[in-house]
Amino acid sequence: MRLQHATWQEVDAYLRRETGIIVPIGSTEQHGPNGLVGTDAICPETVAWEVGERYGVLVAPTQSLGMAQHHLAFSGTISLRPSTLIAVLRDTVISLSRHGFTHVFFLNGHGGNVATLSAAFAEVHAERSMGYGPHPVGELHLTTHNWFAGSRVRELAESLYGDAEGTHATASEVALSWFARPEAVKQVDMSPRIAPRGSAQCDADEFRRRFPDGRMGSDPSLASVEHGERFLDASVSDAWEAYRAFIRPI
């Protein structure tokens, strides 16, 4: 069930039986020679939509802009400042909480968002604790699940790609985005086959010098649509397991 495709009455009916919601969040940034600029938003959105269809969970609109300043030396990248993203996430949570959502599950597709998500959660909880802002009184739980870090996804990536998976413009994320958008598959020779490795803790120009074609330790030419279907199944299982544990902890 997608929030954009529901009426307000249908959302009310959902809230009478369930108060959890999935919010896909990603980024709009370069993903190497054969990866789509929208990869980090397409992947969590695809996983979230499938979880929603299979298990009847409401899925919010995708937050497609993230914290991607280190990719700005590559055309097409759009980045929010950490402070801007924190404000967007805070307002998203407050809006959902006002309607009665008590468990907001951010399904993340971009490693660069992790620290900012944690900071946004801390801001929301601090405001509630200190009595600041328009926060409704009542239960509120926030969490992040990174689709690419689930145990089933990691095991599959290791079996298919080994060390060529890398850490950015990875074969797994390119494969999943291609399964979601098969019309956008691109066959490109990689040189070197496996990209340089290193840290992304730098500004955009330094990142471009370290990683000239945008990849980090990866060979995404190994990706395929068939692999993407397998990653979708693995990531849906990981995400549903994490969501159930979040909603109903033992």
Side-chain angles (χ1 to χ4, degrees), residues 63-94:
Q63 172 55 39
S64 296
L65 299 181
M67 210 298 288
Q69 63 79 21
H70 46 295
H71 294 294
L72 281 170
F74 294 88
S75 299
T77 298
I78 303 173
S79 181
L80 300 181
R81 295 171 184 264
S83 56
T84 304
L85 183 55
I86 288 171
V88 169
L89 296 172
R90 172 186 176 274
D91 289 355
T92 299
V93 168
I94 291 172

Side-chain angles (χ1 to χ4, degrees), residues 89-248:
L89 296 172
R90 172 186 176 274
D91 289 355
T92 299
V93 168
I94 291 172
S95 298
L96 293 170
S97 178
R98 175 183 174 87
H99 303 310
F101 289 97
T102 61
H103 290 71
V104 185
F105 183 92
F106 285 89
L107 185 51
N108 180 44
H110 174 49
N113 288 340
V114 172
T116 306
L117 277 158
S118 295
F121 295 172
E123 286 283 349
V124 170
H125 291 313
E127 288 177 1
R128 286 168 60 87
S129 297
M130 296 175 180
Y132 297 143
H135 293 278
V137 175
E139 187 179 3
L140 179 62
H141 304 276
L142 309 171
T143 196
T144 301
H145 172 74
N146 302 308
W147 81 265
F148 49 84
S151 61
R152 296 170 183 84
V153 168
R154 299 315 310 152
E155 289 171 8
L156 180 58
E158 174 64 25
S159 69
L160 291 174
Y161 311 126
D163 290 343
E165 165 72 347
T167 56
H168 179 67
T170 63
S172 61
E173 63 183 340
V174 170
L176 179 54
S177 71
W178 283 358
F179 178 73
R181 305 287 188 274
E183 72 280 4
V185 171
K186 305 173 197 311
Q187 301 301 331
V188 180
D189 291 332
M190 302 290 164
S191 181
R193 188 179 70 80
I194 297 179
R197 304 181 189 278
S199 171
Q201 297 300 313
C202 56
D203 65 18
D205 292 333
E206 178 61 25
F207 185 95
R208 182 69 184 258
R209 284 191 290 271
R210 294 180 187 179
F211 312 105
D213 69 0
R215 297 177 294 142
M216 297 178 66
S218 66
D219 179 11
S221 69
L222 299 172
S224 70
V225 171
E226 184 272 331
H227 289 174
E229 184 173 16
R230 295 173 66 184
F231 278 111
L232 179 61
D233 286 340
S235 58
V236 166
S237 295
D238 285 337
W240 175 238
E241 182 176 83
Y243 180 81
R244 284 188 304 167
F246 174 56
I247 294 292
R248 299 177 182 87

